[in-house]
């Protein structure tokens, strides 16, 4: 029974964290409000492409290579 209570606390924390906007979301909203839709969409495109790049790098093991050989980041 105690484990279920711990699981419910962790799940509740996860739901709150997943539903909260992160710093990139807040920045995109700020740029869109101050500089218009086009600038907001451009920033959102950059955030998405950067996230995809780092996600693919982690999935393919490139991040392990970069952790071992920092000079490889210059080549990349």
């Amino acid at each position: 029974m105690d484990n279920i209570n711990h699981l419910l606390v962790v799940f509740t924390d996860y739901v709150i964290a997943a539903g909260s906007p992160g710093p990139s979301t807040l920045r995109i909203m700020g740029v869109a409000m101050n500089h218009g839709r086009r600038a907001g969409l451009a920033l959102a495109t950059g955030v998405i492409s950067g996230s995809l790049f780092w996600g693919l790098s982690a999935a393919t093991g490139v991040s392990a290579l970069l952790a071992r050989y920092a000079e490889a980041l210059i080549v990349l």
Side-chain angles (χ1 to χ4, degrees), residues 2-70:
D2 194 40
N3 288 338
I4 292 174
N5 290 335
H6 289 292
L7 184 62
L8 287 175
V9 169
V10 171
F11 181 72
T12 302
D13 290 345
Y14 169 75
V15 169
I16 291 170
S20 320
S24 60
T25 303
L26 295 174
R27 182 65 183 149
I28 292 167
M29 291 185 329
V31 167
M33 287 188 288
N34 291 324
H35 300 288
R37 180 181 290 200
R38 181 172 286 186
L41 288 174
L43 180 58
T45 302
V47 168
I48 290 170
S49 63
S51 296
L52 285 173
F53 172 77
W54 287 115
L56 287 172
S57 296
T60 59
V62 173
S63 60
L65 174 74
L66 293 176
R68 178 73 173 107
Y69 303 104

